[in-house]
Every structure is written in C-alpha cells, then in structure tokens.
C-alpha cells in the first residue's frame, strides 16, 4: 500500500501487531465511534479488524486502502483515512469510491481530516483516474460535513444506498486539471 506525506502528516498502513492497542484507544472513545457503528470490544477485536482490512485491500489490488494518519511531529497515529469502494447495505462493494476519515478526539479541529483527505483525493484522481469520489456521513455528523464542504465537495442529498443506513452524500468530480 502506498505511503503519502503532507506538511504535517504521513498516511501509511496500520500495523496490527504493534498498533492495535493505540487504534483500540481511538475507536473505543464513544465520541469517535458515535457515527461509526458498534465500537470494538477489545484490543484483539481491533487487531483482527486492522488485519482484515489490510488483507482486503491487498486482495482487491485496485489502489484502495485504509491508512493510519500519523502526525509527523510525534510519529504517532492519530486516526484513519480511507479511499475505497463504498459497500451497499449487504456489504457488497459498489463501483462508487469514497474518501473518509476518523480522528481521535484530542486532535479534532486542527485540519488534519481535510489535509489527509486532500492527498487521497489527489491520488484517486491522478493515479487511479477516478471520475468522481464520494463522501458519506450520518446527517448529524456536522464536523465531517464541514470537512466535505472544505474539500470542495458538493452535497447530493440523503441516500440509503450505502452501509445500510441513511447518510448524507457529497461528491467531487475530477477536474480537467487532473487529466
């Protein structure tokens, strides 16, 4: 899986063997997992989830991924960024791609989600040649909706097409400058 760098961040694969406890600490926070579904019950459950996601993206071999967002200054993961195909309500992958992010609460409001998503959007448009990338959020997840707006994404209303939930849908199109 590719590694990406911005001024403040490095996006790289999560290591299930050495970082499961850190990831569990992030995702067991009820404020972080509030819009993500059921939180992990244990460090071992998070380790298994990291391993399964890494394997899934390797097997798909289409450029998708689930990256740890690491602060360069501390070399510590602070969350996750994704670029992957959206699942339908049954969990089957659709042809539609999404960008997404989850960050630990102590770093909210620093622009890290926007910074991480921008580098993945650039990768999706230039290297993967995706014509459109979506983002979805719970309608009450105002912080993520603000990130989508900052990224220049356009609201497309509500949908029940993905994840088996009613979500707000945003999209951004590959511009001619990416061709």
């Amino acid at each position: 899986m590719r590694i990406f760098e911005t001024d403040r961040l490095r996006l790289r694969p999560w290591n299930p063997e050495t970082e499961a406890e850190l990831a569990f600490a992030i995702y067991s926070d009820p404020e972080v997992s509030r819009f993500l579904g059921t939180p992990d019950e244990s460090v071992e459950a998070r380790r298994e989830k990291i391993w399964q996601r890494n394997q899934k993206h390797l097997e798909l071999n289409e450029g998708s991924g689930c990256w740890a967002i690491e602060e360069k200054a501390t070399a510590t993961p602070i969350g996750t960024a994704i670029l992957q195909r959206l699942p339908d309500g049954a969990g089957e992958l659709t042809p539609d791609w999404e960008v997404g992010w989850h960050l630990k609460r102590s770093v909210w409001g620093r622009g890290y989600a926007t910074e991480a998503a921008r580098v993945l959007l650039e990768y999706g448009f230039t290297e993967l040649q995706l014509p459109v990338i979506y983002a979805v959020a719970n309608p009450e997840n105002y912080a993520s909706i603000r990130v989508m707006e900052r990224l220049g994404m356009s609201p497309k209303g509500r949908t029940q097409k993905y994840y088996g939930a009613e979500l707000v849908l945003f999209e951004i199109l590959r511009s001619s400058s990416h061709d």
Side-chain angles (χ1 to χ4, degrees):
M1 195 175 354
R2 289 274 315 267
I3 295 174
F4 302 96
E5 296 205 16
T6 68
D7 289 343
R8 302 181 296 165
L9 306 174
R10 180 176 295 108
L11 278 61
R12 53 141 180 97
W14 277 100
N15 183 326
E17 299 311 314
T18 61
E19 296 175 331
E21 200 166 313
L22 183 60
F24 177 73
I26 293 170
Y27 287 99
S28 63
D29 180 334
E31 285 300 305
V32 173
S33 62
R34 180 175 170 206
F35 299 115
L36 300 177
T38 309
D40 297 328
E41 293 183 12
S42 67
V43 172
E44 195 50 49
R46 177 48 59 176
R47 178 177 289 113
E48 181 65 20
K49 194 173 278 185
I50 292 169
W51 188 86
Q52 286 177 354
R53 281 192 177 156
N54 287 349
Q55 285 303 116
K56 177 184 84 171
H57 293 295
L58 282 171
E59 289 167 13
L60 289 171
N61 193 28
E62 61 189 5
S64 63
C66 180
W67 291 267
I69 303 171
E70 179 182 275
E71 267 182 318
K72 283 183 178 179
T74 63
T76 303
I78 55 167
T80 301
I82 59 171
L83 183 66
Q84 64 187 17
R85 288 194 286 145
L86 278 155
D88 66 16
E92 296 298 317
L93 297 181
T94 69
D96 303 334
W97 284 69
E98 74 169 320
V99 65
W101 47 85
H102 317 131
L103 293 162
K104 69 180 185 176
R105 196 180 339 174
S106 63
V107 300
W108 289 358
R110 297 186 190 176
Y112 288 155
T114 306
E115 193 171 323
R118 276 200 178 112
V119 74
L120 290 181
L121 288 172
E122 182 67 21
Y123 163 68
F125 289 138
T126 58
E127 293 190 37
L128 302 182
Q129 292 293 301
L130 300 173
V132 59
I133 299 174
Y134 298 98
V136 294
N138 179 295
E140 296 176 17
N141 189 343
Y142 305 116
S144 277
I145 292 168
R146 283 193 301 276
V147 171
M148 296 171 197
E149 292 168 346
R150 278 195 295 278
L151 291 167
M153 301 185 93
S154 303
K156 299 315 249 180
R158 292 185 183 214
T159 183
Q160 295 183 4
K161 187 175 176 181
Y162 310 111
Y163 290 105
E166 182 169 312
L167 302 167
V168 291
L169 178 69
F170 280 67
E171 74 173 15
I172 188 166
L173 304 175
R174 183 175 74 219
S175 67
S176 56
S177 65
H178 291 108
D179 291 332

